[in-house]
Amino acid sequence: MINDLSQNDFEKLANNFTKYISDYLENISEKDVLPQIKPGWLKSQFSEFPPTQGESLENILKEIDEKIIPAMTHWNHPKFMAYFNSTASSAGVLGEYLAAAFNTNAMVWKSSPASTELEEAMLLWYKNLLGLPYFFDAIIYDTASISSLHAIACAREKAYPQIIRNEGLSGNSKIPKMRIYVSEEAHSSIEKSAITLGIGIQNVRKIPTDNNFSMIPKELQKAIEEDRNNGFLPIAVVATVGTTSTTSIDPVDKIGEITQKENIWLHIDAAYGGSALVTSEMQYIKNGWEFADSIVINPHKWMFIPIDLSVLFIRDKKILKQAFSIIPEYLKTEVDDIATNFMDYGIQLGRRFRSLKLWFTIKYYGKSGLERIISNHLQLAKKLKKIIEQDERFEILAPVHFSTLCFRAKNPYNENKITTNQFNQELIDLINNTKKVFLSHTNVKNQFMIRIVISGLKTTENDVFEVWEIIKEEYNKLLIKYTL
Ligand SMILES: Cc1ncc(COP(=O)(O)O)c(C=O)c1O
């Protein structure tokens, strides 16, 4: 047996796979969005031990149909409208394919000049695509959680240059308790950063929000002053533009004035919302971003890049290097003074060739193509909002800034037979049990909300209308259940 597939076998198999993938993507709307299986089913399809002798891959597509497809929640499905749905463009899929084949590891420039420099070139394209201030540098990580972790590590490094990095936090009497400020609606990834960086969840202060679920700047100012008086050290504020639950927008301009005055790092989490900047109508969300020290945006959330690809924009990239760079002998090269070695700018050493899929996708659509698709999502959300507002059985619960709607059914029983939250919990369960659509929920200020996210590449106006019909049908079934 040779060490890899022969060229002929590879071509044959790859052609079969290409056909399989194109059929999968083309016909995805005929499938149920959600699988029927119970936890443990797929695992039980595999024996405990791997094959002793290698086997032909000839029949692997059959196994994919038998084992993998029945266990799939189809993120590319036009009626996947849960979480922040991210769909993969074919251009992005091809970028991933090539990245796997090239199999570069861009630890340092020399280990992959192509990957290093394409990343730099694409980040410049991406910054200009979104119209971000020229002074931001950028770097690709896998997810927003990791981008934000690096941003907060920079805030910590800025507060105590070289001290925590060298001496650590444990037992260090020089370091007072640090504090990070987020709104009540911030993503849990910031608390995970606090866990990882030794700051502690208790030191992530959640600032109250107003009726639109946006951080109240006065409350932020008050919390910072209170903390300083009590001997804490405020190091970072995270403002969210497009929160996970309701896509609310924190007032970054007002928050920025505070962080500037207080000399605190300002990180903006626009993991989902940032992609809307490809449209002219959404430019207003950038208000105050000139104050930011760092911003995270995930092209994998709403720019049709296959998972994963997150971009951290950073004003002063040197701080990342100061926080993380360690150069072991075997990674020293003769061009270290003039080239970028991405290993210096974060925790990981090895890095995938993610910029290929960013290149393919931006090149294929161009700014105008991306703007057309995302504007269409925004318009569809506005249309659906109107439809929901006109139906007296339902109500919209949060401002619709982007392409996400939060709504609920009004409780026809006035909390007598069932609470409104429970009624809506049952409603979403019925909706998702149809498997025809996948919606997710949230609970904000003790209100259970059903969320609809319209960001699929294949999602059409018809899909949105059909989903609304499913919601109403299931609502009627629920009425029957409680009337009987
Ligand atoms: C606002 C926001 N920030 C961060 C994240 C975390 O994203 P990731 O899965 O890329 O870490 C999410 C996830 O939905 C999010 O909505």
Side-chain angles (χ1 to χ4, degrees):
M1 186 186 174
I2 54 173
N3 281 347
D4 202 353
L5 292 169
S6 69
Q7 185 175 6
N8 268 349
D9 285 350
F10 179 76
E11 274 184 28
K12 202 170 133 213
L13 211 57
N15 284 338
N16 291 347
F17 265 81
T18 304
K19 177 80 179 89
Y20 184 90
I21 293 168
S22 76
D23 285 347
Y24 170 75
L25 292 175
E26 183 61 25
N27 302 319
I28 195 161
S29 52
E30 289 161 23
K31 297 185 189 306
D32 284 352
V33 189
L34 286 159
Q36 301 281 356
I37 61 157
K38 297 243 171 343
W41 176 82
L42 177 59
K43 226 163 72 180
S44 72
Q45 302 303 301
F46 287 85
S47 60
E48 198 176 337
F49 297 101
T52 309
Q53 303 297 331
E55 293 170 7
S56 154
L57 290 177
E58 194 87 301
N59 292 325
I60 201 142
L61 284 176
K62 215 168 119 238
E63 281 196 69
I64 288 183
D65 271 335
E66 286 165 5
K67 295 176 179 160
I68 304 300
I69 295 291
M72 286 279 290
T73 295
H74 296 286
W75 282 71
N76 289 320
H77 195 291
K79 292 193 181 71
F80 183 119
M81 297 183 181
Y83 315 124
F84 286 133
N85 150 265
S86 40
T87 45
S89 65
S90 304
V93 170
L94 292 173
E96 278 287 33
Y97 185 26
L98 201 57
F102 283 157
N103 190 36
T104 58
N105 188 343
M107 306 175 290
V108 290
W109 180 89
K110 195 166 187 179
S111 70
S112 184
S115 172
T116 302
E117 294 198 17
L118 187 68
E119 178 160 339
E120 293 180 311
M122 284 311 104
L123 288 172
L124 197 55
W125 271 21
Y126 188 52
K127 179 170 71 174
N128 289 327
L129 181 72
L130 304 181
L132 295 185
Y134 70 92
F135 52 77
F136 281 113
D137 238 313
I139 180 165
I140 294 176
Y141 297 115
D142 54 1
T143 56
S145 305
I146 298 301
S147 291
S148 291
L149 173 76
H150 283 88
I152 293 166
C154 286
R156 200 183 67 165
E157 175 64 21
K158 194 175 167 205
Y160 289 101
Q162 300 296 290
I163 294 180
I164 299 171
R165 174 191 155 109
N166 293 333
E167 299 174 17
L169 273 175
S170 72
N172 199 328
S173 56
K174 287 183 209 152
I175 314 273
K177 273 200 189 298
M178 290 174 272
R179 282 261 150 114
I180 300 172
Y181 304 84
V182 299
S183 90
E184 293 165 329
E185 292 303 309
H187 190 263
S188 51
S189 53
I190 306 304
E191 284 163 290
K192 284 202 177 176
S193 296
I195 296 171
T196 313
L197 294 166
I199 293 165
I201 293 184
Q202 282 179 2
N203 293 309
V204 178
R205 261 194 90 157
K206 297 195 175 174
I207 306 300
T209 54
D210 61 19
N211 290 339
N212 290 328
F213 314 108
S214 307
M215 188 192 287
I216 302 171
K218 261 193 198 148
E219 296 288 339
L220 172 66
Q221 182 68 62
K222 208 167 91 191
I224 292 171
E225 278 164 21
E226 198 178 276
D227 281 351
R228 285 206 198 279
N229 289 338
N230 289 323
F232 292 100
L233 183 79
I235 63 160
V237 175
V238 180
T240 312
V241 174
T243 56
T244 314
S245 280
T246 65
T247 70
S248 59
I249 298 177
D250 288 336
V252 179
D253 51 347
K254 304 231 166 53
I255 293 169
E257 283 168 14
I258 297 172
T259 53
Q260 196 168 56
K261 179 166 66 96
E262 299 281 348
N263 193 23
I264 301 174
W265 188 280
L266 174 60
H267 176 58
I268 298 174
D269 180 353
Y272 157 75
S275 292
L277 285 173
V278 301
T279 70
S280 42
E281 67 188 284
M282 294 302 289
Q283 292 305 306
Y284 73 91
I285 64 169
K286 263 187 331 210
N287 200 11
W289 286 25
E290 67 279 6
F291 288 115
D293 293 286
S294 55
I295 303 165
V296 58
I297 304 178
N298 276 9
H300 82 218
K301 281 206 197 301
W302 193 11
M303 219 183 77
F304 323 119
I305 306 277
I307 282 178
D308 49 22
L309 202 165
S310 174
V311 175
L312 179 70
F313 291 98
I314 184 155
R315 183 185 287 265
D316 183 3
K317 204 169 157 200
K318 284 196 303 297
I319 300 186
L320 263 180
K321 194 167 182 177
Q322 186 181 310
F324 289 107
S325 177
I326 293 181
I327 309 170
E329 183 57 36
Y330 80 104
L331 290 170
K332 288 182 183 156
T333 75
E334 68 284 7
V335 290
D336 288 350
D337 291 341
I338 52 170
T340 301
N341 293 328
F342 273 118
M343 70 164 186
D344 288 336
Y345 297 91
I347 297 163
Q348 68 188 95
L349 168 61
R351 51 179 29 237
R352 305 175 55 225
F353 204 161
R354 289 197 182 88
S355 54
L356 275 172
K357 56 186 169 182
L358 192 57
W359 181 29
F360 281 32
T361 305
I362 298 177
K363 188 172 172 65
Y364 175 70
Y365 290 105
K367 181 174 176 2
S368 65
L370 291 166
E371 175 161 13
R372 177 181 55 75
I373 298 168
I374 292 180
S375 290
N376 186 46
H377 291 154
L378 297 169
Q379 296 321 312
L380 289 178
K382 285 198 181 93
K383 271 190 192 167
L384 182 59
K385 176 174 177 257
K386 238 186 211 159
I387 291 173
I388 297 176
E389 280 171 343
Q390 283 164 0
D391 192 320
E392 58 191 18
R393 295 167 297 178
F394 295 89
E395 60 187 327
I396 293 280
L397 295 175
V400 180
H401 296 292
F402 299 94
S403 64
T404 300
L405 298 102
C406 292
F407 73 102
R408 70 177 174 187
K410 292 178 191 162
N411 185 351
Y413 308 107
N414 295 326
E415 312 283 318
N416 291 332
K417 284 187 185 167
I418 182 169
T419 66
T420 306
N421 283 356
Q422 189 56 35
F423 188 79
N424 281 279
Q425 173 73 66
E426 288 197 28
L427 178 58
I428 193 172
D429 289 345
L430 284 176
I431 293 165
N432 286 337
N433 278 338
T434 66
K435 317 281 183 200
K436 301 292 172 212
V437 51
F438 184 22
L439 305 181
S440 56
H441 77 278
T442 187
N443 190 322
V444 181
K445 299 191 195 282
N446 200 25
Q447 283 190 324
F448 187 95
M449 303 180 182
I450 301 177
R451 293 166 76 261
I452 297 184
V453 181
I454 303 168
S455 57
L457 200 49
K458 294 178 187 297
T459 304
T460 62
E461 185 161 339
N462 253 353
D463 290 306
V464 175
F465 291 156
E466 282 169 20
V467 166
W468 181 239
E469 288 307 311
I470 293 171
I471 293 168
K472 288 187 297 183
E473 274 166 33
E474 299 309 313
Y475 172 89
N476 287 336
K477 285 185 198 158
L478 202 53
L479 282 195
I480 292 168
K481 174 181 164 188
Y482 280 100
T483 316
L484 293 177

